Amino acid sequence: KFGWSTHALEKGVKRAHILYPANGALLQELYTRDGSGTLISRDLYEGIRRADVGDVAGIYDLIDPLVKRGTLVERTKNSLERDIMSYYVYTRDNLIVATGQLKRFEGGYAEIGCLVVSKDYRSQGRGDAMLGYLERLCYQSGAAKVFVLSTQTMEWFVERGFKEVDVRQLPPSRRVSYNFMRRSKIYMKEIENSRDLDASELWWSN
């Protein structure tokens, strides 16, 4: 079956589906995003990419519930559009299931923010995948000191190698804009080499 599917893709078919003989399998495969069988695709069915202006509405809808609960700082659609080049999205069949923002600062610092996973896709490794992807971008750009600001998800970052630091350890330009009223805790991680990232990914993939 895999051979036939591969041959079909080579001839121009966009996607091939391999289904198990079960009642309702075809309907579930065709009319649900997660399906019931195995999908072989020529295009990017699931993966991470840099966001563009066409993603603004999807990012806004994803983060809005957390903004309303006070977990995230408010981001309007206009601000998302203005800063869209700093956002990345994890998509599954063109649906945005996770997002994250990466901002670079002087002195080899970078901030990861707005790391959000859809409630329907949590506890499946996508938050870790997004974090790992952004950490690699930081390392490749020469930003070895990565930090996050958080009010409610401290343990999650600690488990992934971040350590709490004082506001004085932020880069000067970020210290100026730090919101003391919000009282976010700061967690920082130093990436010495790519093997640090490899080790982290091995840990969370087990």
Side-chain angles (χ1 to χ4, degrees):
K1 293 181 180 179
F2 280 100
W4 297 339
S5 299
T6 302
H7 179 71
L9 266 63
E10 290 173 348
K11 293 297 184 180
V13 173
K14 189 175 181 180
R15 294 177 179 177
H17 301 259
I18 300 175
L19 303 181
Y20 299 100
N23 290 333
L26 179 60
L27 292 175
Q28 185 177 352
E29 182 71 10
L30 294 179
Y31 294 104
T32 65
R33 182 164 274 106
D34 295 325
S36 64
T38 299
L39 170 67
I40 304 175
S41 176
R42 290 175 57 199
D43 58 1
L44 180 62
Y45 181 79
E46 181 171 344
I48 301 172
R49 60 171 174 79
R50 174 171 258 160
D52 57 45
V53 291
D55 298 313
V56 168
I59 295 173
Y60 182 86
D61 290 342
L62 183 63
I63 68 176
D64 189 51
L66 296 178
V67 171
K68 289 179 177 177
R69 291 205 299 265
T71 305
L72 285 180
V73 174
E74 182 179 6
R75 291 166 171 84
T76 64
K77 288 184 178 179
N78 286 338
S79 68
L80 289 173
E81 185 172 345
R82 182 191 65 228
D83 301 329
I84 196 62
M85 292 299 290
S86 66
Y87 285 87
Y88 293 81
V89 290
Y90 190 127
T91 63
R92 181 174 175 81
D93 198 16
N94 296 320
L95 173 71
I96 297 175
V97 300
T99 189
Q101 185 182 23
L102 179 59
K103 294 188 286 186
R104 296 175 178 85
F105 294 89
E106 72 277 8
Y109 287 86
E111 178 181 4
I112 293 175
C114 198
L115 187 61
V116 179
V117 180
S118 167
K119 62 181 179 62
D120 296 326
Y121 290 90
R122 291 173 189 163
S123 301
Q124 299 177 29
R126 290 180 175 88
D128 283 299
M130 178 62 80
L131 177 63
Y133 183 89
L134 295 177
E135 286 179 339
R136 285 190 181 277
L137 289 180
C138 293
Y139 178 73
Q140 291 168 5
S141 67
K145 296 179 180 179
V146 183
F147 63 92
V148 298
L149 272 64
S150 179
T151 58
Q152 300 186 27
T153 54
M154 290 80 81
E155 295 82 1
W156 193 85
F157 287 108
V158 170
E159 290 172 353
R160 284 148 184 85
F162 286 79
K163 296 180 180 179
E164 186 174 357
V165 299
D166 187 81
V167 66
R168 290 171 293 183
Q169 292 186 245
L170 291 176
S173 61
R174 187 63 179 91
R175 285 202 302 269
V176 171
S177 62
Y178 177 81
N179 186 349
F180 285 91
M181 296 292 292
R182 187 168 172 79
R183 300 176 64 185
S184 297
K185 291 191 174 182
I186 305 163
Y187 293 83
M188 190 171 292
K189 179 178 182 179
E190 292 197 36
I191 306 171
E192 295 183 0
N193 52 61
S194 61
R195 285 176 293 183
D196 291 343
L197 298 175
D198 294 337
S200 296
E201 290 175 2
L202 282 173
W203 182 87
W204 59 253
S205 62
N206 289 331

